[in-house]
Amino acid sequence: METRGSRIKKLRTEMGLSQRVVAELMGYDSKGTVSQWESNLNKPKDMERLANILRTNTVWLETGKGDKDSRNVMVAATGELVLPYHNLVSKKIPVISWVQAGMWSDVGCDDPSINCTTWMETSANVSSHAFALDVRGDSMHNPLDKRSIPDGARVVVDPVFDPSQLNRRIVVAMLEGSNEATIKEFVKDGPNMYLNPLNPKYPTIPINEGCRIIAVALEATIKL
């Protein structure tokens, strides 16, 4: 028999998300929380946020009724009332420097070397460790690529990611010998890995053992 827990597990596995990643996106430290939801031992306290993460709606998660892909309305369990469904969940994240990004760890702003004085709100599905960076330079600017990131854009990034899903993703990386992070496209070609600037004017950077992938980029905004 299908249950709320089995529906959560079904969507999570369809999206290729681990229990740990879902827990992080929900603001929990342990994947055991998600395991309890999927075993129907506990119910998520924030069903709307979980529905956003799983790209569905709370009614389908709770009852299995209606269109599981519909995210724009929420129908009451009685079926007598249709309420607006808020598709976006806002969360505050710090805006830090590229030097600070290179030092970023699980403790984030609790690290005394990280000065979190500027914050922003994002509706992206991010973990509690996410942060933002202001892009400098045009190495990622390419009008022919829809992922183009111009100079001055603000990028939301998340250090919680699946390492097996990095190929062709925009990442924040720390190169050996540098004192600050950089943003590039991660490319894996057989045994070789590279950091690729979207702007063809700049050279591709081979990845060596001293390179550390810090986070993946989720969205970018520009000032007009």
Side-chain angles (χ1 to χ4, degrees):
M1 181 175 129
E2 193 177 71
T3 63
R4 178 181 61 243
S6 66
R7 286 187 287 272
I8 292 173
K9 183 176 182 179
K10 177 182 179 181
L11 290 184
R12 177 182 63 77
T13 54
E14 285 179 355
M15 294 179 66
L17 298 175
S18 68
Q19 290 181 337
R20 181 182 66 83
V21 168
V22 173
E24 289 283 355
L25 293 173
M26 288 291 290
Y28 295 98
D29 294 329
S30 172
K31 68 176 184 179
T33 303
V34 179
S35 178
Q36 290 181 349
W37 297 342
E38 294 181 354
S39 300
N40 295 297
L41 297 176
N42 281 321
K43 175 182 176 180
K45 292 182 179 179
D46 191 344
M47 287 292 291
E48 285 199 11
R49 183 168 186 82
L50 180 60
N52 281 337
I53 292 169
L54 298 177
R55 301 292 191 267
T56 188
N57 58 82
T58 56
V59 173
W60 189 85
L61 277 184
E62 286 281 17
T63 68
K65 296 178 180 179
D67 182 0
K68 75 180 178 70
D69 297 320
S70 176
R71 303 179 68 210
N72 57 355
V73 296
M74 181 173 70
V75 183
T78 60
E80 298 175 355
L81 182 65
V82 178
L83 300 172
Y85 174 65
H86 298 289
N87 204 24
L88 304 177
V89 178
S90 182
K91 191 171 187 177
K92 281 191 174 183
I93 61 173
V95 182
I96 64 175
S97 73
W98 290 90
V99 172
Q100 291 172 330
M103 301 183 292
W104 193 258
S105 66
D106 288 346
V107 297
C109 288
D110 290 333
D111 187 328
S113 64
I114 306 293
N115 185 20
C116 297
T117 58
T118 303
W119 295 75
M120 65 168 285
E121 289 194 356
T122 178
S123 58
N125 284 328
V126 296
S127 75
S128 58
H129 303 300
F131 57 93
L133 297 160
D134 290 331
V135 173
R136 300 173 306 185
D138 65 347
S139 69
M140 292 297 286
H141 179 55
N142 184 345
L144 300 180
D145 193 316
K146 65 180 181 180
R147 301 168 300 164
S148 177
I149 307 174
D151 179 35
R154 178 164 289 179
V155 182
V156 174
V157 303
D158 199 332
V160 178
F161 58 87
D162 184 347
S164 67
Q165 302 296 319
L166 281 181
N167 196 31
R168 298 296 177 179
R169 296 288 301 274
I170 305 298
V171 303
V172 174
M174 189 72 174
L175 295 169
E176 186 176 23
S178 176
N179 67 345
E180 61 180 59
T182 185
I183 185 167
K184 297 290 185 288
E185 178 190 36
F186 179 91
V187 178
K188 189 175 189 305
D189 183 15
N192 302 313
M193 294 179 288
Y194 306 91
L195 293 178
N196 179 49
L198 298 184
N199 189 333
K201 292 193 307 182
Y202 293 83
T204 297
I205 305 169
I207 292 179
N208 55 36
E209 293 181 357
C211 177
R212 178 167 61 95
I213 305 301
I214 299 170
V216 296
L218 300 180
E219 67 178 24
T221 59
I222 61 173
K223 295 179 180 179
L224 298 177

